[in-house]
Amino acid sequence: MQEAQPSRTALRVAMRRAAHQMYDAHPLILEDPMALRILGKEYLPEVERTRFKLHKPHSVALRAFLVARSRHAEELLARAVAQGITQYVLLGAGLDTFAHRNAHAGLHVFEVDHPATQEWKRELLHANGMVIPKSLTYVPVDFEHQQLATQLAEAGFDTSRPTFFAWLGVVPYLTLEAFRSTVALIASQPAGSGVVMDYGQPREALPPLERLARDSMSARVALAGEPFQLFFTPEDMRLELRAFHGIDDLGSAELNERYFSGRSDNLRLIGAGGRIVSGWL
Ligand SMILES: C[S@@+](CC[C@H](N)C(=O)[O-])C[C@H]1O[C@@H](n2cnc3c(N)ncnc32)[C@H](O)[C@@H]1O
């Protein structure tokens, strides 16, 4: 990420969650009225203006992936809370609104993000009349240059309690070193802790047509100043997560079956590029 610049990709993802509320058939995959509110007068009109583009097949499939990953993370979180977890860390939170919809009594949310993105989010919340809940703590961290453990400790994070971590839409933007040090931090948490993240397969693992789609997406994020730099095959990811058990690594077919079967619209994933993996300690 460019220093001192809020994440443009975070805005794009948030716009797609908003588009899901506005244009997709019910039942929605992710019920998130706050996704509209946080964009407010500044950004919501763009979702309306680009309505035509949002109905193109690749855009629909990308939106399907984005809402499925949030839904899946929130389902796993609910399971973790039922087993007694009281801390939720969103790594690279972007404009995620879970903390404003948190219905789990006693669950504390830590939103970790690049300082520039976090500051911009807080300005947007303020501008759109969204109150910061008491159960939310902001933790500004640049994963490439700062120690996540130190910043979390300063923010009051309790390392003696099991925690659930969500790391959505962040891994492809990191260096391998930053990825591994964050995985090591998560792996050092108490038994019962868990993590969910999404990741992309390397270009060479994709069929030729999907390589073109990947190239176009890579060009777009690079232009936004946030180039992709990290991909894994499922086999490599399993090795990276060897400290975890109960690994569940879902591709498009599994996600389509779980979340998109029997829909009245064409919202579903296409291709094999993106995967969502979770594991437990
Ligand atoms: C594509 S957005 C995803 C945001 C959010 N998780 C979501 O799903 O809407 C990528 C997020 O990663 C964060 N990010 C990227 N590189 C980072 C870094 N080096 N340190 C901290 N955060 C970073 C950005 O600030 C941004 O919030």
Side-chain angles (χ1 to χ4, degrees), residues 165-234:
F165 292 79
W167 206 5
L168 308 179
V170 186
V171 168
Y173 301 101
L174 301 178
T175 58
L176 184 58
E177 197 188 353
F179 171 79
R180 284 190 171 151
S181 69
T182 305
V183 168
L185 173 91
I186 300 171
S188 71
Q189 301 308 306
S193 298
V195 64
V196 61
M197 72 181 90
D198 61 311
Y199 69 99
Q201 297 210 60
R203 187 182 189 278
E204 57 278 10
L206 301 176
L209 266 180
E210 281 187 51
R211 290 185 193 171
L212 297 180
R214 165 67 60 76
D215 291 345
S216 136
M217 173 97 96
S218 297
R220 272 185 282 147
V221 296
L223 212 61
E226 297 166 53
F228 285 148
Q229 37 187 5
L230 193 59
F231 295 103
F232 295 100
T233 61

Side-chain angles (χ1 to χ4, degrees), residues 24-234:
D24 292 327
H26 287 249
L28 296 178
I29 307 299
L30 181 74
E31 289 282 353
D32 185 1
M34 298 295 173
L36 302 169
R37 195 158 163 202
I38 195 169
L39 293 179
K41 278 200 226 101
E42 196 171 348
Y43 296 113
L44 206 49
E46 195 178 332
V47 183
E48 284 152 8
R49 257 199 323 273
T50 54
R51 182 184 180 133
F52 161 72
K53 272 207 227 155
L54 289 164
H55 284 89
K56 291 189 170 178
H58 272 98
S59 188
V60 172
L62 174 60
R63 180 160 79 249
F65 183 75
L66 299 178
V67 294
R69 87 179 175 202
S70 292
R71 160 84 174 262
H72 186 56
E74 292 182 18
E75 282 180 357
L76 291 173
L77 171 69
R79 198 189 303 167
V81 168
Q83 284 161 5
I85 275 187
T86 54
Q87 297 185 118
Y88 182 36
V89 177
L90 275 155
L91 296 167
L95 300 185
D96 189 292
T97 68
F98 172 80
H100 300 266
R101 298 179 279 110
N102 177 7
H104 301 293
L107 179 71
H108 198 88
V109 181
F110 294 86
E111 285 197 5
V112 175
D113 210 339
H114 193 280
T117 306
Q118 199 158 78
E119 207 179 300
W120 166 67
K121 180 181 197 174
R122 295 180 70 158
E123 283 164 17
L124 270 182
L125 291 172
H126 180 71
N128 294 309
M130 292 172 74
V131 174
I132 297 170
K134 284 201 172 65
S135 55
L136 167 62
T137 301
Y138 291 107
V139 191
V141 180
D142 180 346
F143 298 128
E144 302 291 344
H145 303 295
Q146 286 174 301
Q147 283 302 320
L148 177 57
T150 316
Q151 304 297 110
L152 275 173
E154 272 177 22
F157 176 75
D158 183 351
T159 50
S160 70
R161 283 154 59 187
T163 297
F164 190 66
F165 292 79
W167 206 5
L168 308 179
V170 186
V171 168
Y173 301 101
L174 301 178
T175 58
L176 184 58
E177 197 188 353
F179 171 79
R180 284 190 171 151
S181 69
T182 305
V183 168
L185 173 91
I186 300 171
S188 71
Q189 301 308 306
S193 298
V195 64
V196 61
M197 72 181 90
D198 61 311
Y199 69 99
Q201 297 210 60
R203 187 182 189 278
E204 57 278 10
L206 301 176
L209 266 180
E210 281 187 51
R211 290 185 193 171
L212 297 180
R214 165 67 60 76
D215 291 345
S216 136
M217 173 97 96
S218 297
R220 272 185 282 147
V221 296
L223 212 61
E226 297 166 53
F228 285 148
Q229 37 187 5
L230 193 59
F231 295 103
F232 295 100
T233 61

